[in-house]
Structure formats: C-alpha cells, structure tokens
Amino acid sequence: MPLAPSRYYTIPMHYSNAFIPTLREVPADALIASHRLMFRSGMIRKLANGLFAYLPLGLRAFRKVEQIVREEMDAIGALEMKPPVVQPGEIWKESGRWEAMGDAMLRAKNRLDNEFIITPTAEEAFTALVRDELSSYRQLPLTLYQINTKYRDEIRPRYGVMRGREFVMKDAYSWHCDDESLDQTYQAMGRAYRRIFKRCGLSVIPVKADSGAMGGSGSEEFMVESEIGDNTLILCKSCDYAANVEKAACALDYSPRFSLDLAKAAASETPPYEKVPTPNVRTIEELCAFMKNPDGAPMNANQFIKTLIYRAVNVELEDHAAAQAFFAVAIRGDLDVNEVKLAALLKAGEVSLAADGDVERLTGAPLGFAGPVGLQSLPLVIDHTVTGMNDAVCGALEKDAHFRHAAYGRDFTAALSGDIRTVKAGERCSICGGELYEKKGNELGHIFKLGFKYTRSMNASYLDENGKTIIPTMGSYGIGVDRTLASIIEEHHDEAGIIWPASVAPYHAIIIPIKYEGAVKEAADRLAADLEKAGVEVLLDDRSERPGVKFNDADLIGIPWRIVIGDKGLAQQQAEIKHRREKESRLVALDKAADELAEAVREEMRNEQ
Amino acid sequence: MPLAPSRYYTIPMHYSNAFIPTLREVPADALIASHRLMFRSGMIRKLANGLFAYLPLGLRAFRKVEQIVREEMDAIGALEMKPPVVQPGEIWKESGRWEAMGDAMLRAKNRLDNEFIITPTAEEAFTALVRDELSSYRQLPLTLYQINTKYRDEIRPRYGVMRGREFVMKDAYSWHCDDESLDQTYQAMGRAYRRIFKRCGLSVIPVKADSGAMGGSGSEEFMVESEIGDNTLILCKSCDYAANVEKAACALDYSPRFSLDLAKAAASETPPYEKVPTPNVRTIEELCAFMKNPDGAPMNANQFIKTLIYRAVNVELEDHAAAQAFFAVAIRGDLDVNEVKLAALLKAGEVSLAADGDVERLTGAPLGFAGPVGLQSLPLVIDHTVTGMNDAVCGALEKDAHFRHAAYGRDFTAALSGDIRTVKAGERCSICGGELYEKKGNELGHIFKLGFKYTRSMNASYLDENGKTIIPTMGSYGIGVDRTLASIIEEHHDEAGIIWPASVAPYHAIIIPIKYEGAVKEAADRLAADLEKAGVEVLLDDRSERPGVKFNDADLIGIPWRIVIGDKGLAQQQAEIKHRREKESRLVALDKAADELAEAVREEMRNEQ
C-alpha cells in the first residue's frame, strides 16, 4: 500500500470531461505522421511557430516518457535538481558560449539591463552550481540532471514537436576525478539510455563515434530512423556497425600502401609522369570526358587524384600548430572528403575549403589544376586511397595542364595520411566486410565525454588525497523528451491512428458503452471502477455519439485496450475486448474482465522493460 | 499492485550519494527563516539575483507540494496541460496586457525579430488555445490548468524563493455559460485550495473580497501570516472575518444618516455655518492645532471633514461614465480613503489623487482648502462617516479660510455615498462587532472571477442551444508552488532546523547508524530495505561522521522520523526512534520497527488530509 495514495488514478476519466478535441482534417503544415497524429488526436496545439501546447491527452503521454527517463536516471544514482530556465548571461560569457551559441540562443534584457538567456542547455549552470560546493575528491563522482524547459531558436521550426523551438530535455552532467570514473558513468548512461528507449517501445540505433577517426569512443548518439532525419547514418547489413556519416569509418579495401618502398615497387612498371594539355578542363567530370585510356575508352573517376585546398582553424597538430593554416588535401577522384574526419586528423577546430584567391596564391594555378606532384608551398594530406594509386592523373599546378602516370611514393609523398573519406552506401564494413547501407536518422539522445572544457574555463576544482588542486573531468548526457514522444508515434501507428505501447499510453484502456444508459451504463461504470482499482488507467467514453465515431476516436488516440459493452453482450454478461494492434475482438465474461485486462496490461509492461 | 512499479522508491538513498551540502553559516542576505533554512539545508542555491536552483533535497519537497496541488486539481475535474513558457507577444497585444504589464514582463526578440515573453501568467495563452476549440455550450464548463515555470521581473528579489524572479505557479482557468456555473467551479476551487494547504500543513487565512464594497464575492486570497508579507490583513478577534486592508469592510458604528431628513433633524441645534480665517492652515494636523472647541480645548481630527480631489479613469458609473473624470471625496478627518473601495464605488478602472493644478482649477482654491459646502464644479462622493457629521469644520473653497458648523444634509449633500474608508486595527468588526486587529500576510493563492475581460478582448465564443453566439465568462485560480513550500518552512521550524510535515518531507525517515559497519551496517541496511518496501522513503546516513554531526544534519534538513542504530541497542535487537518534534527518543524492537514506522507515517499523512 503506497503511503501517499494518489487520488488521481482513482477517478475514471469520462471522455466528455477529458477535452480531447480530435480532428478529421490534417493541418497543411503537418508533414510527418507524428505531427499529423498528435494534432488530430488532440494531443497538441500550436500557439506560435515552433511553440506548442500539450493538451491533457498529450501531456499524459508526455509525463510517462518523462517518468521513464527519471526512473532510469535515478536507478543509476543520478540526482535530479532544477536550475532556473532563465539564466544569467554572465556564466555563458565565462564559458565562452555567449558568443559561440550565436542566434540560436534566445536572449533577454530586464529593466535593470541584466542580460539573461532562456537556457538551450545547461553545462554552464550546473558547473557554476557544482564548483561552489565541490571541495574534496570524496564528493566525486557526482551525476546531476534536470528534466526541464529549453529553448533553441530554430530558424524553420518544422515537424511539430520533433523540431520545435521550446522543448523539454533531460540533461545530465557528471564530474569525475579520472577518466576511468568518467567511463563508468558514461557506460552506465549508455545502458540506461538503452533501457529508456526499450521501455518506450523504440528501436534506436546507438551510433558510436568511430574510434579510428575520432581518437577514442567518447560519444554515442541514439538515433531513430526517420525520413526527415537530420543525420545520415551508415549501417552494416551483416553486423551491428552503425555510424553517423560524418564519422563513419572506411574499410581498408583500397590496398593502401603505407610503406613507401611498397608504393615505389608498385610504380615500377608505370611510365614517368608527363604533362598533358587540358585546356579549360577542371572538374573530375570534365576530366572523365576529356582523358582517354590506352584502349580509347574514357577514363574513370577513380583514375584521378582530386586535390583540394583547405583552410584549417586552431590546428593543434605537431609541426603544424597554428591559429590558421592551409593544407592541400588529395583523395581519389570518385570519393569525397569528410570534413569532420579531416578536422580530426589535423586536430583542427574547424576546416573549410579555401577561398579561390587563396587557392591561386598557394598553388600558383587557377582553380581546378592543383595536384600533389611538385607541390612545395603547402603540406600535403592524403586519404588512404591515394597511397594505392600508382598511375593516376592529377593537376599540374599550372593553367590548362594535368600530369598523367603520377605515382604515389615515386612522384610525391604526403606529410600526413589517414581516413578522411566519406563512406557511401554499397561500400564494405570496416568491422566485418559486410555491405554498408544508408538511413536517415533523428537524434533522440547523446552521451558525451566533455573532458575539461567547462570545468577549466569556469574554474571548477577539488582537492585530491594529497591536498593538490585538481580540475575534474566531465560528461554530458541529453535526451529530448518531446522528440522521443513523437518518435514513439512515428514507430507505432497505422492508417487509423496511434498505437501506444502500454508504458506510455495516456490511458491503458478505453471502455465504450454502445449507449451510456441503463444497465449498460451501470456495467461500464462498474468495470471502469474495478479497472482503476486494479491500477489500469481508464477512459470511459460516455458521449452520446454513434459507436462508429467512438471507435474511430479510440483508434485515432491509440488507447491499447478497447472494451465494448452493449445490450446484446450484456445479456450474456459479456464484453468485447480488443487490443489496438489486433483486428478481431473477443468476448470476455464481465466479472473477469478487470482481472484479465489488468494482467494483460501488466504483461505488456513487463515485456517492455 | 501498481501497474508501473517505480524503480525510484525501491532504492534507499545513501546520504553520501545524496548531494546535500548543508552549511553552518547563514548567508548575509537571508533575512527570513525559510530562506536561511533552505540555503543551510542544501535545498536551494542562488544562480543569480532572484534565480534559484533547487538541489536534490529541495526538489523532492518541491515535487511533493506540486503533486498535492495536482491531485486536488484533478479531483475537482480540472485538466492539466502544458503551454509553452516562451509565448508569442501577439496574444498579449490582443488582450491589451503587452503594455499594461510593463517592465515586470521579461521580453525577448529572436533573430527573426519575433517578439516573445517569458510568461508571467497565462490568461492569454489558455484563452487563445480554448477559443479555437470552443464551438458549443456542450463543451462548457471547462477547467484547464498548468504547473509550470513563470517569470516576473521583481526589481528587488528578496527572501529566497518567497519572492524570486523565476518561480513555478499552478494556474487554472475556467470557462462557463453563466455565472452560476462559474460560481460552482469557483466554490470547488476554494474547497480544493483549503485541502491543498491543509495537506501541506499550512494555516492559511482565506480572505474574501468584501461583498459590501466590491459588489459580489468574486475573489478570495489565501494568505499566510508573515512578518515580511506584502499585504496587511484585518482580522476579527471574535469571528473568522478576515480581509485585505485594501478591501476590508467597515462596521457602521459611526451613525451614518442615510436619510436627509434625519440628517437635517440632527443639524437643527447646530448654528449656521460660518467662515473663519485660517491663514496657511491646510492639513488636519494644522487644523487640530489651530481650531479650538468652545471650552478652549484643541479640536479633534474627527471634527473635521477632509476633502480630496480624485482623478478616476474608465468610470462606468451611471450619470458619470467617462474615460476620465474628477470627483471630490469627503471623509472624516481622522480617517483615510481606501482607493480600492473608492474605485469600486465609482466603478472606475483606477483612481489617484488629482494633480495640484487640477485641484486649484476645479476647487478655485489652493491645495488644503477644498470642502463640500458650496462645491459646484465637481460631483461629491462621501464616506458613510460624513453622513453623521452635523457640526464639522471643512475647507471654504478659498485661500486661508474654513467653514465651521457645517452639517451634512443641511449645508451640503452628496452625489454618492458609501464605505470608502480604510479600516484600522482596534475598530469594530462589521460582521460581529468584535475588535479588529492587523497582521502582515503573504499571498499563496488567489481565486478570482474574471468575467469577460479576456474572452471578450480575444474573441472567444460558443453557440448556445439556439445557435446564438455567446461569449463565455471566465475564472482564474493561482497558487505559487515555491512560496507555498517556503511558507511550510516558515510555519514548521525551530532553532535547529526544518520540521517537515510528513506529506511534503523530502524523506519520511532517516536512519543513523552510529558507525556504518559490521552488524550495525547490516541492521541499518535491512531496516532501510524493509521501510522502502513498506513505502517509507528513507535516507540512510552512511557517512563516517561523528554521531553529533549526523544528528545536527538530520535536525537541520528536518526529516520527520529518526532511527538510530548502535552497538548497544543492537545487542538488545533494538533501535532508537524519535520524531523531529519530540525531545526524547524511545526504543523499538528492530523486527517491528519497519511496520511501526510505516504505520506512524501513514497515520500522520491521514491526519494531514
């Protein structure tokens, strides 16, 4: 017996009192199923662009997702707290994000000219609060979280609550004495996230940052497949490899030659490189059309070396450390440079293609004629694939000219080589060699080893066993509650409406009396009361609508179990029971319906855990 | 058995994991007990002026208050929803409050120059959402509420969360076909509010707007006594009369004479009024010193008629309806005009003293010489007390002159008379004649019949049975959650710390093992597990601190039941149990402790309901 009996769940909700304004029409701006269905089922309404109100039915489902997140956070020892939503600008200036976050952050000034932000995330606030309390290593590790309102100023808010301006996020932050402790919490979070999504009935794709390219697995995104996803995922058909295309590893199936001797040997049969005139031929497409193989067939893109000039900012690479530096980046002609991987390889804050003027100045040739052979002015960075090229065509570093028969190891070498290539569907998996394919995905959650970024800039520290001042390392872990809720609908719906998993259903069961009067009303009331007593949350459709209207609404709002009570069944002391997923209903004895249904709900909830 | 077993309450919280940074020092800016104790017990921390973070212990208590409010709202059929915290400026312009709310409202502009507010209250948002869904009288009455973040830009935020800038408010709004329906919901809210405060262990003073002055009991404030209260309350020593001094009714113990004949009769013995020179004598104090009674004694303030010129805005009074109008307002010299009552009597939006220039222009005399006798240029409004004055001194409407022997009914009459006087401690109760006294109070909740203000300005309407378009009437009902929580501490604390009522205690019980090791640890762990199983929320003090430190912390954070387990008791299979309110502990058998304590918690919670 709970000590604080909630009056809440002891009152079966009557449909006519529940304010569920269902709609037949689909709003013109609702492009995805969850937006359409949340709107049509009366879960949400729009107050302004990107600003939604959850109506009572929507809020019930929303709170259940929140509660699942809360329970799993509590279960791993994270502690919930509640910082303000309106936060002082000062702490964002301390961390340097006052500028960095740009226009996506909503700022406000009050009458005293104090600057505030409507918080988009809370690394600063949590770190500011913790640094004042942190004194000893004995207080660590510490994991705190909130489930609270956030605001990000999406320029084009779309897809309902999937990409709104105001949203609710669970954001957790942890502080640690060392990497091992951080990793323990990070792993526990990863497991908690998997449980959360499982309990919500969601098939998520956990996407790890690739250890090859990014130097350590310090980040994992939890994605759901979505046609309107922000992210392109690369998945393997044969194993469970999954990566964001921004970071996906490449299989080394292009015979890279890491040894210059091997490369030279491979080039021994290749004629010496020679210049060929290529007037106005700049792009790979133009080269393919212009250059011919010995047999007269047009050359293929994979026979060319594409050389691009990149500008890199805040480079921390040994020998090349600089606030700004330029690099020539060479890759096989049929492939694309992945800028995230390139930045990681260069240990740069950011990379971008150099301006045309810089290209001409640095290569001595107009755009389209850069190449690795004879390049002196710039460090050359090559993708692994280039190490396997021993008879290639490349720019000759002068207008209207290319070299042919260029060979890596013989005619040029690189300052740096690595995997800087964007993976494509159809390639081989770097783990198992299986075929890779692409999916669009939406990020629901992200766990991330932050390191010292905030603790250092905001002066958080503690004393270790020896009384030495140490800066703690930090992790950050987010889940979007609205987006999780919308994704559940994306995965669980049909033509007629939503199909809620029991764990997040706004009500477990809906009782539909064919006519809410006389003996049928009495039986419906009794069953509703019995179900509530057994812990089943019931919506009782007391409206004087036609049965067809009630059935349609029940399907639209997606209540898992439907019990129909009519005169005919009642004469046999029976009701019709049907799960939202099933086509056919079955008869149950009225006096057993409550127990049977409670057990069915319990069973489904157990399966979801 | 609950269908969704919460993992949350099955894990006894270890003190060393709970992040409860208690403090001995009192922060300099903490002027009241609740602020001091919430800070010292590690419930809250300040992030910026008026912006507080609830730490884990504080949030647990906060959520319990929220949940009590939620349950009582749900119990009367109110439906919870969740509009955004960031709201579009447009709807505030529609209602006219974009201007009216002034600088207390925090405004923001995003990159697209859209105007937003961080919502201080939500009449507009709820009305905007409801008007789009409302079509038929069958949908009414409807009551919706939220428990959500609000922001008001207090110029001088003080007293911790009692008067912060960001806070959480439960705000409910209801829509009705008629006054009777509105009154039903209003009364149900009043009862729900009483239950909420009772369950929180609070002694509230429900303060009704006075029906005499305000024309109908359409407003009730729920106050708690507080030395730093914003409100002055007038209470009766003999009955339960309680009113805000702004609206408190006056007993008619000043023999008002509503009949002019009676007034004239009373004046029959009074000599005709005559002018007396009063050079530079303007104020009541100066008059008292200057004017003498026949026996030579100085005159008393209650022998003068004080006449003030008021400017009233949006007057809806019959015969005097105007966007702006001036009135002469007369009251007995020892009394003060209550502007709220005056505005109500004049059916005016607002009243304020006229500017000096207006006074001279309208009375033909400098400030200090206005009076009712011979006044032509202005309608005269008098307080009831003036009707009983048959030999008074008043301004003569010219510089340096007063009349004496002025008598109401004989020498002047009024356009309007009523109770427009501010009540004072020591006066008689208008209900029972008992003695009135004053208290300072803080408002925790307010229920209010709004009428058509928002539904009319924002074009909300429905069709009645006959297909006629009707504007619904509306009610508004708020409770400050933070302020309620702080008030509980104000009422329940002692020198050593907080004394939580069980209903809102962050934990019901704290187990203190004298040393958390060996058999004592085992017994403490077992008892904690048994208590959690019985539904008692337990904090287990596993720290290696001295018992004195643990006892002090337990007292400071105010956990209702304390169980101490030590070697000596354990040898007898006993533990010491003590309620926070009690001085002495008593021994209980360890194997009965869980059952006994669970029953005690249950008992206290029952008593609070």
Side-chain angles (χ1 to χ4, degrees):
Chain A
M1 174 188 153
L3 283 172
S6 166
R7 296 165 187 236
Y8 190 39
Y9 288 110
T10 62
I11 306 157
M13 179 62 81
H14 285 217
Y15 200 112
S16 64
N17 296 331
F19 193 53
I20 306 174
T22 57
L23 295 171
R24 298 234 176 106
E25 320 85 66
V26 180
D29 65 344
L31 304 174
I32 59 170
S34 59
H35 188 184
R36 281 194 295 269
L37 289 172
M38 288 177 88
F39 198 85
R40 283 189 55 211
S41 66
M43 285 180 69
I44 57 164
R45 286 295 182 266
K46 187 166 100 170
L47 192 63
N49 218 359
L51 297 176
F52 293 91
Y54 282 87
L55 304 191
L57 189 76
L59 185 59
R60 288 182 70 104
F62 183 93
R63 291 275 188 245
K64 291 196 175 184
V65 174
E66 257 189 9
Q67 186 57 21
I68 287 172
V69 173
R70 179 172 289 124
E71 287 173 14
E72 296 299 340
M73 286 298 103
D74 293 337
I76 60 168
L79 298 167
E80 187 174 2
M81 48 179 274
K82 187 174 87 71
V85 173
V86 175
Q87 297 185 352
E90 287 82 36
I91 54 175
W92 291 76
K93 288 176 184 165
E94 272 189 70
S95 75
R97 289 209 290 182
W98 179 260
E99 296 303 328
M101 292 288 286
D103 286 343
M105 204 151 77
L106 192 65
R107 294 153 213 256
K109 266 190 194 177
N110 76 349
R111 56 177 121 191
L112 302 172
D113 235 26
N114 301 140
E115 286 177 311
F116 297 108
I117 57 104
I118 319 306
T119 181
T121 167
E123 282 82 0
E124 283 81 356
F126 277 82
T127 304
L129 289 162
V130 163
R131 71 177 160 191
D132 291 341
E133 310 305 327
L134 194 57
S135 53
S136 157
Y137 69 96
R138 287 194 206 89
Q139 295 168 280
L140 300 180
L142 174 64
T143 306
L144 298 170
Y145 76 98
Q146 65 171 329
I147 303 179
N148 211 346
T149 301
K150 306 282 183 305
Y151 186 98
R152 279 184 206 169
D153 200 56
E154 290 279 346
I155 299 189
R156 293 213 304 158
R158 277 186 300 179
Y159 311 128
V161 300
M162 193 74 94
R163 208 176 298 163
R165 283 177 168 154
E166 183 177 314
F167 55 96
V168 168
M169 186 164 84
K170 184 286 296 177
D171 43 332
Y173 308 92
S174 66
W175 294 264
H176 308 269
C177 291
D178 53 43
D179 285 346
E180 195 190 327
S181 165
L182 171 56
D183 194 61
Q184 268 173 19
T185 297
Y186 176 84
Q187 299 297 344
M189 280 283 174
R191 290 188 296 271
Y193 274 44
R194 282 164 174 79
R195 281 193 300 270
I196 288 167
F197 295 122
K198 179 149 188 280
R199 289 179 65 185
C200 289
L202 279 170
S203 315
V204 291
I205 306 165
V207 172
K208 284 187 191 178
D210 184 71
S211 54
M214 301 295 285
S217 179
S219 163
E220 189 171 14
E221 295 164 322
F222 294 83
M223 299 278 190
V224 282
E225 190 179 348
S226 163
E227 41 176 328
I228 53 105
D230 299 317
N231 300 273
T232 302
L233 307 184
I234 297 291
L235 300 120
C236 175
K237 286 184 181 173
S238 308
C239 74
D240 64 355
Y241 178 79
N244 197 316
V245 72
E246 288 183 348
K247 300 167 192 165
C250 297
L252 297 179
D253 58 347
Y254 293 90
S255 320
R257 295 204 176 79
F258 296 112
S259 146
L260 282 180
D261 288 339
L262 282 177
K264 280 178 192 162
S268 59
E269 311 265 301
T270 309
Y273 73 87
E274 56 176 16
K275 197 180 289 179
V276 288
T278 52
N280 285 321
V281 174
R282 293 161 193 263
T283 66
I284 296 293
E285 290 70 37
E286 289 162 356
L287 276 169
C288 287
F290 183 85
M291 303 285 285
K292 299 280 181 285
N293 277 310
D295 62 2
M299 288 184 81
N300 193 293
N302 64 14
Q303 297 178 275
F304 301 101
I305 296 172
K306 179 158 69 180
T307 306
L308 303 159
I309 312 304
Y310 272 93
R311 175 175 168 273
V313 174
N314 296 330
V315 180
E316 294 184 9
L317 200 63
E318 221 174 308
D319 297 337
H320 296 277
Q324 171 180 310
F326 291 90
F327 294 89
V329 177
I331 193 166
R332 213 177 59 193
D334 58 331
L335 303 173
D336 292 316
V337 171
N338 179 319
E339 298 188 351
V340 173
K341 289 185 185 178
L342 176 61
L345 183 66
L346 297 178
K347 297 187 178 158
E350 207 183 293
V351 298
S352 56
L353 282 171
D356 292 1
D358 286 327
V359 175
E360 293 193 23
R361 176 173 60 82
L362 292 163
T363 65
L367 221 61
F369 299 97
V373 178
L375 184 71
Q376 305 287 340
S377 53
L378 283 169
L380 177 66
V381 179
I382 62 173
D383 181 64
H384 281 324
T385 49
V386 174
T387 63
M389 301 182 78
N390 53 18
D391 188 355
V393 173
C394 62
L397 294 170
E398 63 176 72
K399 190 174 189 309
D400 296 344
H402 279 75
F403 291 128
R404 67 176 166 194
H405 306 315
Y408 170 72
R410 184 188 72 182
D411 307 324
F412 66 95
T413 58
L416 205 60
S417 83
D419 171 12
I420 53 172
R421 172 169 71 80
T422 299
V423 178
K424 289 182 195 162
E427 293 188 12
R428 297 286 126 201
C429 171
S430 63
I431 305 291
C432 76
E435 190 184 340
L436 295 178
Y437 64 105
E438 271 187 20
K439 268 185 183 177
K440 287 277 183 192
N442 252 327
E443 185 190 300
L444 301 188
H446 191 180
I447 62 177
F448 189 58
K449 292 181 183 173
L450 276 176
F452 303 97
K453 179 171 165 52
Y454 297 93
T455 46
R456 191 172 282 154
S457 61
M458 298 184 71
N459 291 316
S461 69
Y462 65 90
L463 298 180
D464 73 2
E465 298 94 312
N466 307 313
K468 207 180 138 195
T469 299
I470 309 279
I471 295 171
T473 185
M474 197 174 156
S476 154
Y477 322 89
I479 284 185
V481 176
D482 310 73
R483 209 172 237 215
T484 298
L485 181 64
S487 298
I488 295 169
I489 297 174
E490 291 289 333
E491 190 166 340
H492 299 279
H493 72 272
D494 61 15
E495 292 286 289
I498 303 167
I499 307 173
W500 288 112
S503 57
V504 291
Y507 296 91
H508 300 124
I510 181 165
I511 298 178
I512 301 184
I514 294 298
K515 277 202 168 180
Y516 191 56
E517 55 187 38
V520 170
K521 174 179 185 303
E522 270 171 45
D525 288 346
R526 199 166 45 240
L527 179 58
D530 288 349
L531 283 169
E532 288 283 344
K533 212 178 291 168
V536 178
E537 297 162 31
V538 177
L539 185 61
L540 174 58
D541 196 342
D542 60 333
R543 296 175 300 166
S544 56
E545 299 282 356
R546 284 180 296 107
V549 171
K550 295 183 176 185
F551 293 164
N552 284 346
D553 276 339
D555 282 354
L556 176 58
I557 67 177
I559 308 303
W561 280 273
R562 188 185 85 183
I563 306 109
V564 178
I565 303 180
D567 279 327
K568 229 164 70 181
L570 193 58
Q572 317 290 322
Q573 287 297 311
Q574 286 180 326
E576 277 181 27
I577 189 166
K578 184 179 104 56
H579 193 279
R580 177 69 178 78
R581 273 190 308 265
E582 292 162 359
K583 282 250 176 296
E584 301 296 326
S585 61
R586 60 198 166 80
L587 292 168
V588 287
L590 260 179
D591 58 357
K592 298 208 173 105
D595 286 346
E596 201 177 315
L597 197 59
E599 184 45 37
V601 176
R602 220 171 270 144
E603 175 71 15
E604 184 171 330
M605 306 264 272
R606 261 197 298 273
N607 291 342
E608 278 160 0
Q609 298 225 356
Chain B
M1 175 188 156
L3 284 171
S6 166
R7 296 166 186 235
Y8 188 39
Y9 288 110
T10 61
I11 307 157
M13 178 62 80
H14 284 219
Y15 200 111
S16 64
N17 296 331
F19 193 52
I20 306 174
T22 56
L23 295 171
R24 297 232 179 108
E25 320 85 70
V26 179
D29 65 344
L31 304 175
I32 58 170
S34 58
H35 189 184
R36 281 195 295 269
L37 290 171
M38 289 178 86
F39 198 84
R40 286 191 53 212
S41 65
M43 287 180 67
I44 57 166
R45 284 296 181 264
K46 188 166 100 171
L47 193 63
N49 216 359
L51 298 176
F52 294 91
Y54 283 87
L55 303 191
L57 190 77
L59 186 59
R60 287 182 71 106
F62 183 92
R63 291 275 188 246
K64 292 197 175 181
V65 175
E66 258 190 10
Q67 186 58 20
I68 288 173
V69 173
R70 179 173 287 121
E71 287 174 12
E72 295 299 340
M73 286 297 104
D74 292 339
I76 61 167
L79 300 166
E80 188 175 1
M81 49 180 273
K82 190 175 86 69
V85 173
V86 175
Q87 298 186 351
E90 286 82 36
I91 55 175
W92 289 77
K93 289 177 183 166
E94 272 190 69
S95 76
R97 289 209 290 183
W98 179 260
E99 297 302 329
M101 292 287 287
D103 285 343
M105 204 150 78
L106 191 66
R107 294 151 212 258
K109 265 190 193 181
N110 75 349
R111 57 177 122 193
L112 303 172
D113 234 26
N114 302 139
E115 287 177 311
F116 297 108
I117 57 104
I118 319 307
T119 182
T121 167
E123 284 81 1
E124 283 81 357
F126 276 83
T127 303
L129 289 161
V130 163
R131 73 177 159 190
D132 291 342
E133 309 306 327
L134 194 57
S135 52
S136 157
Y137 68 96
R138 285 194 207 89
Q139 294 168 280
L140 299 182
L142 174 64
T143 306
L144 299 170
Y145 76 98
Q146 66 174 328
I147 302 179
N148 210 346
T149 301
K150 307 283 184 305
Y151 185 96
R152 279 185 206 167
D153 200 56
E154 289 278 346
I155 297 188
R156 293 213 305 159
R158 279 185 299 178
Y159 312 128
V161 300
M162 192 74 93
R163 207 176 299 162
R165 282 176 169 157
E166 183 177 314
F167 55 96
V168 168
M169 187 165 83
K170 183 286 295 175
D171 43 330
Y173 307 92
S174 67
W175 294 265
H176 307 268
C177 291
D178 53 44
D179 286 346
E180 194 190 327
S181 165
L182 171 56
D183 193 61
Q184 268 172 18
T185 296
Y186 177 84
Q187 299 296 344
M189 280 284 174
R191 290 188 295 271
Y193 273 44
R194 283 165 173 78
R195 280 193 300 270
I196 288 166
F197 295 121
K198 178 149 189 280
R199 289 179 66 184
C200 289
L202 280 170
S203 314
V204 292
I205 306 165
V207 171
K208 285 189 189 176
D210 185 72
S211 55
M214 300 294 285
S217 178
S219 165
E220 189 170 13
E221 294 165 321
F222 294 83
M223 300 278 188
V224 282
E225 191 178 348
S226 164
E227 39 174 332
I228 53 107
D230 299 318
N231 299 273
T232 301
L233 307 183
I234 296 290
L235 301 119
C236 175
K237 287 184 179 171
S238 310
C239 74
D240 65 353
Y241 178 79
N244 197 314
V245 71
E246 288 183 348
K247 297 167 192 164
C250 296
L252 297 178
D253 57 348
Y254 293 89
S255 317
R257 297 205 174 78
F258 296 111
S259 147
L260 282 182
D261 288 339
L262 281 179
K264 279 178 193 161
S268 60
E269 310 269 298
T270 309
Y273 73 88
E274 58 177 14
K275 198 181 289 179
V276 285
T278 51
N280 285 319
V281 174
R282 293 160 193 263
T283 66
I284 296 292
E285 291 71 36
E286 288 163 356
L287 276 170
C288 288
F290 183 84
M291 302 286 285
K292 299 281 182 284
N293 276 312
D295 61 3
M299 288 184 83
N300 193 293
N302 65 13
Q303 297 178 277
F304 301 100
I305 295 172
K306 179 157 67 179
T307 306
L308 302 159
I309 312 303
Y310 271 94
R311 175 173 168 274
V313 174
N314 295 331
V315 180
E316 292 185 9
L317 199 64
E318 220 175 312
D319 297 336
H320 296 275
Q324 170 181 309
F326 291 90
F327 294 89
V329 177
I331 192 166
R332 214 177 59 193
D334 59 331
L335 303 174
D336 291 316
V337 172
N338 178 319
E339 296 187 353
V340 174
K341 288 184 184 177
L342 176 62
L345 182 66
L346 297 179
K347 296 185 177 159
E350 207 181 294
V351 298
S352 56
L353 282 172
D356 293 0
D358 286 328
V359 174
E360 293 194 23
R361 177 173 59 79
L362 292 163
T363 64
L367 220 60
F369 299 98
V373 177
L375 185 71
Q376 304 288 338
S377 52
L378 283 167
L380 177 67
V381 180
I382 61 171
D383 181 63
H384 282 323
T385 49
V386 175
T387 63
M389 299 182 80
N390 53 19
D391 188 355
V393 172
C394 62
L397 295 171
E398 63 178 71
K399 190 173 187 308
D400 296 343
H402 279 77
F403 291 128
R404 65 177 167 191
H405 305 314
Y408 170 70
R410 185 188 70 179
D411 306 324
F412 65 96
T413 59
L416 205 59
S417 84
D419 171 13
I420 54 172
R421 172 168 71 79
T422 299
V423 177
K424 288 181 197 164
E427 293 188 13
R428 296 286 125 202
C429 170
S430 62
I431 305 292
C432 76
E435 191 185 339
L436 296 178
Y437 65 105
E438 271 186 20
K439 269 185 184 177
K440 287 276 181 192
N442 252 328
E443 185 190 299
L444 301 187
H446 190 180
I447 62 176
F448 189 59
K449 292 180 182 172
L450 276 177
F452 302 96
K453 178 169 165 53
Y454 297 93
T455 46
R456 192 173 281 154
S457 61
M458 298 184 71
N459 291 317
S461 67
Y462 65 90
L463 297 180
D464 72 2
E465 298 95 312
N466 308 314
K468 205 179 140 196
T469 300
I470 308 280
I471 295 171
T473 186
M474 198 174 158
S476 158
Y477 321 89
I479 285 185
V481 176
D482 310 72
R483 206 172 242 218
T484 297
L485 181 63
S487 298
I488 295 170
I489 297 173
E490 291 289 334
E491 189 166 341
H492 299 279
H493 72 273
D494 62 14
E495 291 287 291
I498 303 167
I499 307 171
W500 287 112
S503 56
V504 291
Y507 296 92
H508 300 125
I510 181 164
I511 298 178
I512 301 184
I514 294 298
K515 278 202 168 181
Y516 191 57
E517 55 187 36
V520 170
K521 175 178 185 304
E522 270 172 43
D525 288 347
R526 200 166 44 240
L527 179 58
D530 288 349
L531 283 170
E532 288 283 343
K533 213 179 290 167
V536 177
E537 297 163 28
V538 176
L539 185 61
L540 174 57
D541 196 340
D542 60 333
R543 296 175 300 167
S544 57
E545 300 282 358
R546 283 181 295 109
V549 171
K550 294 183 176 185
F551 294 164
N552 284 346
D553 275 340
D555 281 353
L556 175 58
I557 66 177
I559 309 302
W561 279 273
R562 188 186 84 183
I563 307 110
V564 178
I565 303 180
D567 279 326
K568 228 164 67 182
L570 193 58
Q572 317 291 323
Q573 288 296 309
Q574 286 179 326
E576 277 180 27
I577 189 167
K578 183 179 104 57
H579 192 279
R580 177 68 178 80
R581 274 191 305 265
E582 292 162 1
K583 285 249 176 290
E584 302 296 328
S585 62
R586 63 199 163 79
L587 293 167
V588 288
L590 259 178
D591 58 356
K592 296 206 174 107
D595 286 347
E596 201 178 315
L597 196 60
E599 184 46 36
V601 176
R602 220 172 268 142
E603 175 69 16
E604 184 171 330
M605 307 265 272
R606 262 196 300 270
N607 290 342
E608 278 161 357
Q609 298 224 356

